[in-house]
């Protein structure tokens, strides 16, 4: 049997896992939902949930991966035959997320190319008319998928790890520079206040649920990504420390992304009631008004591209390792499975902004439906099943024994972590699901 690949270094693993976590969820979604949902108050709730729910599940998933050294399906089955279906759900989620993610990846490439060539996207209607075109957005989406596929072909340490170790530090530097620029713009003060001033009156039940959904999506939980990445670790790795680092870095990036975006929007005299169109409609207006705006715009879309690529490859690797190991297909061939499937579903998703716009599922167009189905349904279900699996099938004692291997300072929180996994997580996740189905 072929020897299983491994990460080349601890730094490389952390950059890859942070690369998976830091994505459009941080840079595009976090600023706008924070702005809409009570600023500082939302950030506090988000951080609390990240510590309680996010960290707990990250550690559990990495432990499953490292204990079994197998893909998401074989990992569950390896611990207890018959439970591989939890991994299969993750593999399905991965296809679905990559399909809409790469449509956005294509938009990012388009904006990057416009800014890099000195062009402008500021005209009103640029975004809506571009995304509804039948051919060009599909081509950019294919380019995005092709970039990810080429990286995956080079494998774990030669592809994913190398690329993440370069892209992530660059992303941190670019993001910090843009945030510094944004908060020092004249008129940025009002934006900083809007972003940070806690408004507890806006904290409703819905806001708490959306914060929890955001924790799941942003930390790449509930679908086997971290099981897969953890499976390339060896037992000397300190997964307690690594999980803390991944959680902290992902949260820091989200908060800094808010500083990069919201004050700039205020400084440019834009209204704060932005929504999902923030990145592609509101920000380009900002880039028009600041000195060297086009260079800043190019740098900004480059960092968003890094974030999107390192997340998409983590999603695709879940599929590649499953098909590669289950059907003994070589990596160079297995990478074409997510490429082809996501190219097909992604094209349909892209066209749902134009010629296929009249098709609606549960009142949503195909693109919005895919995003809703994966993030609001598949990930929480996957997360709940993973917690129940750890709690009652694998047992928290076995999980803690695995976690303790390699942990330099032991695992002092073992009892608390086990309590969270057994009793708190399933209840919290069930509440999100009931909420999503409109039952609460
Ligand atoms: N965490 C990524 C983001 O914030 C998205 C993602 C979800 C990646 C699930 C992998 C698995 O954009």
């Amino acid at each position: 049997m072929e020897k299983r690949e491994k990460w080349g270094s601890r730094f490389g693993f952390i950059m890859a896992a942070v690369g998976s976590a830091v994505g459009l969820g941080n840079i595009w979604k976090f600023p706008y939902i924070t702005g809409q949902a009570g600023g500082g108050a939302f950030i506090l709730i988000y951080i609390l949930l990240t510590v309680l729910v996010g960290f707990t599940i990250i550690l559990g998933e990495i432990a499953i991966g490292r204990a079994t050294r197998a893909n998401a399906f074989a990992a569950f089955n390896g611990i207890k035959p018959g439970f591989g279906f939890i991994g299969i759900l993750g593999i399905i989620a991965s296809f679905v997320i990559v399909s809409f993610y790469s449509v956005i990846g294509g938009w990012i490439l388009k904006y990057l190319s416009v800014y890099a060539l000195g062009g402008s996207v500021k005209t009103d209607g640029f975004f809506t008319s571009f995304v509804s075109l039948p051919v060009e957005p599909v081509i950019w989406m294919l380019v995005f998928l092709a970039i990810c596929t080429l990286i995956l072909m080079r494998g774990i340490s030669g592809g994913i790890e190398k690329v993440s170790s370069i892209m992530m530090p660059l992303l941190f530097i670019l993001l910090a520079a843009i945030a510094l620029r944004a908060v020092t713009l004249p008129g940025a003060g009002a934006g900083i206040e809007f972003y940070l001033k806690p408004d507890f009156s806006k904290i409703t039940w819905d806001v708490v649920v959306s914060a929890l959904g955001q924790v799941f999506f942003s930390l790449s939980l509930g679908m086997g990504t971290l099981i897969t990445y953890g499976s390339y670790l060896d037992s000397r790795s300190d997964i307690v420390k690594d999980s803390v680092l991944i959680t902290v870095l992902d949260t820091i990036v989200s908060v800094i992304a808010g500083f990069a975006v919201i004050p700039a929007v205020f400084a440019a005299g834009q209204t704060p009631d932005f929504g999902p169109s923030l990145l592609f409609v509101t920000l380009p207006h900002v880039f028009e008004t600041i000195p060297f705006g086009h260079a800043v715009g190019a740098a900004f879309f480059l960092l968003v591209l890094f974030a999107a690529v390192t997340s998409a490859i983590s999603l695709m690797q879940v599929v590649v390792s499953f098909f590669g190991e289950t059907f003994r297909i070589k990596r160079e061939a297995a990478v074409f499975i997510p490429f082809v499937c996501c190219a097909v579903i992604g094209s349909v998703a892209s066209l749902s902004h134009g010629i296929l716009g009249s098709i609606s599922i549960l009142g949503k167009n195909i693109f919005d439906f895919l995003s809703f189905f994966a993030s609001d349904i598949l990930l929480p279900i996957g997360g709940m099943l993973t917690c129940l699996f750890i709690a009652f099938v694998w047992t928290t004692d076995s999980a803690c024994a695995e976690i303790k291997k390699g942990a330099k300072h032991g695992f002092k929180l073992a009892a608390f972590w086990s309590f969270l996994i057994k009793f708190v997580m399933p209840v919290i996740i069930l509440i999100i699901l009931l909420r999503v189905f409109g039952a609460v």
Side-chain angles (χ1 to χ4, degrees):
M1 210 179 124
E2 239 180 89
K3 224 174 139 265
R4 193 172 173 76
E5 291 180 84
K6 267 196 191 138
W7 299 108
S9 68
R10 172 170 184 236
F11 175 78
F13 163 67
I14 292 173
M15 286 302 108
V18 172
S20 168
V22 170
L24 297 170
N26 305 61
I27 295 168
W28 163 68
K29 221 169 160 195
F30 185 85
Y32 86 76
I33 49 176
T34 305
Q36 286 170 335
F42 177 85
I43 299 180
L44 288 179
I45 292 176
Y46 177 82
I47 291 178
L48 184 75
L49 290 172
T50 298
V51 173
L52 279 181
V53 180
F55 171 74
T56 307
I57 304 183
I58 287 190
L59 187 54
E61 286 199 20
I62 298 182
I64 295 178
R66 194 185 60 176
T68 53
R69 309 230 163 99
N71 63 77
F73 167 75
F76 285 102
N77 252 354
I79 292 177
K80 186 85 179 177
F83 284 85
F85 72 94
I86 306 176
I88 296 289
L89 273 182
I91 291 154
I92 296 172
S94 164
F95 277 120
V96 175
I97 299 179
V98 180
S99 300
F100 73 81
Y101 218 82
S102 48
V103 174
I104 309 179
W107 300 344
I108 295 166
L109 280 170
K110 165 76 182 176
Y111 273 58
L112 175 59
S113 71
V114 172
Y115 279 118
L117 298 173
S120 161
V121 294
K122 79 162 194 300
T123 45
D124 283 327
F126 177 91
F127 177 67
T128 24
S129 53
F130 169 69
V131 299
S132 58
L133 291 174
V135 181
E136 201 187 334
V138 175
I139 293 178
W140 284 112
M141 177 207 72
L142 292 175
V143 174
F144 179 83
L145 274 175
I147 295 173
C148 297
T149 306
L150 283 174
I151 298 170
L152 290 174
M153 266 186 186
R154 310 191 74 99
I156 297 299
S157 59
I160 298 177
E161 178 171 348
K162 247 200 197 131
V163 165
S164 308
S165 304
I166 299 170
M167 286 186 179
M168 280 301 112
L170 275 176
L171 178 146
F172 287 126
I173 296 169
L174 284 175
L175 186 63
I178 292 177
L180 263 179
R181 182 73 203 103
V183 295
T184 48
L185 285 171
I192 299 174
E193 190 180 328
F194 175 80
Y195 180 48
L196 289 185
K197 198 170 156 213
D199 178 357
F200 284 96
S201 69
K202 284 203 183 139
I203 302 299
T204 58
W205 193 224
D206 256 347
V207 167
V208 177
V209 172
S210 85
L212 199 52
Q214 173 68 8
V215 169
F216 260 85
F217 189 75
S218 186
L219 290 170
S220 309
L221 303 177
M223 53 150 300
T225 315
L226 291 164
I227 297 181
T228 307
Y229 273 16
S231 75
Y232 302 106
L233 284 171
D234 63 36
S235 45
R236 280 167 306 166
S237 48
D238 186 339
I239 60 177
V240 178
K241 252 195 190 158
D242 292 357
S243 301
V244 173
L245 261 175
I246 297 164
T247 315
V248 171
L249 288 173
D250 184 67
T251 310
I252 290 179
V253 171
S254 287
V255 175
I256 298 182
F259 278 115
V261 172
I262 294 181
V265 169
F266 271 77
Q270 297 287 312
T271 48
D273 56 350
F274 33 67
S277 63
L278 171 74
L279 212 61
F280 297 102
V281 180
T282 318
L283 271 186
H285 281 281
V286 175
F287 298 139
E288 288 307 316
T289 58
I290 59 178
F292 305 109
H294 287 223
V296 178
F300 182 79
F301 280 101
L302 186 67
L303 86 86
V304 183
L305 179 69
F306 289 166
V309 164
T310 49
S311 294
I313 54 179
S314 76
L315 287 153
M316 292 167 85
Q317 179 61 31
V318 173
V319 176
V320 173
S321 63
F322 168 70
F323 281 99
E325 287 164 20
T326 314
F327 303 105
R328 296 186 188 285
I329 307 172
K330 272 205 167 5
R331 180 179 63 222
E332 290 77 3
V335 292
F336 283 99
I337 297 171
F339 176 77
V340 172
C341 296
C342 297
V344 174
I345 314 173
S347 302
V348 176
S350 177
L351 294 176
S352 73
H353 291 104
I355 51 175
L356 298 182
S358 54
I359 303 175
S360 108
I361 312 172
L362 297 179
K364 300 177 185 340
N365 71 21
I366 297 170
F367 179 93
D368 292 340
F369 174 77
L370 291 177
S371 153
F372 162 79
F373 180 56
S375 339
D376 293 5
I377 300 187
L378 288 175
L379 298 191
I381 291 184
M384 182 162 72
L385 292 175
T386 306
C387 290
L388 292 174
F389 176 84
I390 296 176
F392 304 108
V393 180
W394 193 20
T395 74
T396 45
D397 285 347
S398 317
C400 288
E402 175 63 36
I403 292 170
K404 278 179 193 150
K405 285 182 198 161
K408 316 245 160 4
H409 305 289
F411 183 32
K412 295 188 196 77
L413 290 174
F416 183 55
W417 180 83
S418 303
F419 171 76
L420 288 175
I421 285 273
K422 274 194 206 148
F423 304 109
V424 182
M425 291 310 127
V427 176
I428 293 186
I429 303 168
L430 190 69
I431 294 174
I432 325 186
L433 283 169
L434 289 177
R435 177 78 223 170
V436 169
F437 288 114
V440 174

